[in-house]
Amino acid sequence: MAGVDPDEPGVRLAAYEGLPAAVAGVGKDPVNAPMIRHWCEAMGDTNPAYSGPDAIAPPTMLQVWTMGGLSGHESRTGAYDELLGLLDASGCTSVVATDCEQEYLRPLRPGDEVTFDSVIESVSGRKTTRLGTGYFVTTRTDVRVGGELVGTHRFRILKYAPRRTGPRARRPRPVVNRDNAEFWQGVAEHRLLVQRCRDCGTLRHPWLPGCNACGGLDWDTIEASGAGTVYSYVVMHHPPFPAFDPPYAVGLIELAEGVRMVSGVVGVPYDKVRVGLPVRVEFRTYEDEEGALLLPVFRVVGGEG
């Protein structure tokens, strides 16, 4: 038909459907209590089924036992790498995970030794998204213990060519509503305000209509000193966003007053950010086509640039 794009790359990519992505993979560690404990602490999951002598692993840890870590898995096939290479060659150089589906057939228990096989289950036709144009690739991993199928994990990514932009995109504006308007008014005045419950005195951030400790609805504010430390952080590489220049560090900052807030970490290169670094709030103005935007960021004490 005239005017119809035959999507020639998509035809070549579809040939990879059904090919193995990993064969006879072996989990690097048996299911074990320390990893279960770390997972539960990170997730805040206190279900008693995950501790004690008869503990089981949280079902959503299914993928954990198949991950290869930084050294990878020897079981990975060349077909999956070839598929990704073709996508890169077609201009789809960026990647973002989109979703996963898991099916649990029986619980995993400490001591279980996991094996797995993965297959390239599907490659979509060309799709246009807000990020750009590309292809969805779905792999299915069958997880076994002693030859018995215990679960299935489907993982889907989008490999895409980033959208081309003209003028630099505007930075996202904060959503200001009646619950947090006073916080942003404080920012406009170069003051970092924290909510305080009038009933129990608990400080809270982000701003909420009610106290998450006692449920009280009456509150006032205190002005934070602006001093804090990096409690945790991530370095953002992908997906690229036109208003930002990756890589850059985003930190979870623990203020001296005890509450934590998410913001950018500045003053040192992104690869020098570390947990425990002392920081202090800085109110930075960003200019774009929509005008000036004032935001609180955190500068490493003694950092430059």
Side-chain angles (χ1 to χ4, degrees), residues 51-72:
S51 61
D54 298 319
I56 62 172
T60 49
M61 287 187 74
L62 183 65
Q63 186 190 20
V64 169
W65 314 110
T66 67
M67 296 176 74
L70 296 178
S71 59

Side-chain angles (χ1 to χ4, degrees), residues 284-299:
R284 178 174 287 191
T285 299
Y286 296 90
E287 297 279 356
D288 60 27
E289 60 185 16
E290 197 167 313
L293 175 64
L294 184 66
L295 294 174
V297 298
F298 286 86
R299 176 174 294 277

